[in-house]
Amino acid sequence: MKGLFLTLEGIDGAGKSSHIDALEALFKARGRQVTRTREPGGTPIAETLRTMVLAQPMDALTESLLVFAARRDHLVQVIEPALARGDVVLCDRFTDATFAYQGGGRGFDTALLSTLEQWVQGQAGGALLQPDITLWFDLPPELAAERLAGARLPDKFESQPVEFFRRVAAGYAQRAATAPRFVRIDASQSRDQVWQQIEAALAGRGL
Ligand SMILES: Nc1ncnc2c1ncn2[C@@H]1O[C@H](COP(=O)(O)OP(=O)(O)O)[C@@H](O)[C@H]1O
Ligand SMILES: [Mg+2]
């Protein structure tokens, strides 16, 4: 069976983590092996880098290099072997988040991010390893902030002002316009409605 690489994207508080259990259950009910993971993170080295990136202020190039270093380790150790086994890989954030947060949010050079993407995700023959489908949870940053208020202790990004998340959201929108693998989910709806959109998105792509 061919592996399937599914990523969940969207600003903090958009509802990604709220739906990953149900996604795992859906694929397992169909007899698929599921590898569930997240970025930055997913390996001991990458989780260490995650802690550094989410806790400490640093310049945008340092941050970008660290998240791509974490991604490289994650791809080599976890994602590529899982896809080769035929697993469904459910990954909470991937490279689109780097374009949205470091590119959009922090205004870092997206051409340089594309170079790093080539280095880290380049395959034999020059193709890039990309997700097969990306569920993009889109909702107004104000609503995401309301949902997050009191829900958890904010990390470095989550404590940014709403203007930052407007730029991140714009970064996601820009990136989503470049590739048909993106499915926009209206994440402002109720949990049930969001789940229905996810099921419809998968069905619409024969998944
Ligand atoms: N559709 C929804 N309607 C209302 N609240 C939601 C919805 N989806 C998630 N939440 C709540 O919003 C907060 C952020 O959701 P979460 O899944 O952690 O977002 P993310 O993983 O994208 O940062 C949580 O407290 C969660 O319970
Ligand atoms: Mg989450």
Side-chain angles (χ1 to χ4, degrees), residues 42 50 56 67 71 87 95 102 137 141 156 162 188 199 207:
R50 175 191 181 91
Q56 297 172 42
V67 295
R71 180 160 302 132
D87 284 17
T95 305
Q102 281 71 44
F137 292 72
K156 182 177 96 181
V162 75
S188 66
E199 285 186 315
L207 298 172

Side-chain angles (χ1 to χ4, degrees), residues 11-18 20 38 50 92-93 148 152 158:
I11 61 175
D12 291 278
K16 301 177 295 299
S17 303
S18 298
I20 204 162
R38 68 168 180 184
R50 175 191 181 91
D92 192 332
R93 298 192 185 287
L148 279 183
R152 59 182 182 238
E158 290 170 352

Side-chain angles (χ1 to χ4, degrees), residues 11 100-101 104-107 140-142 145 157-171:
I11 61 175
Y101 280 74
R106 298 201 60 181
E142 292 80 4
F157 291 111
E158 290 170 352
S159 40
Q160 292 293 315
V162 75
E163 298 76 57
F164 176 83
F165 286 102
R166 248 181 237 122
R167 295 195 299 276
V168 175

Side-chain angles (χ1 to χ4, degrees), residues 67-87:
V67 295
F68 270 109
R71 180 160 302 132
R72 178 69 189 171
D73 192 55
H74 189 209
L75 274 171
V76 171
Q77 305 291 342
V78 174
I79 296 177
E80 289 177 345
L83 292 173
R85 285 195 303 270
D87 284 17

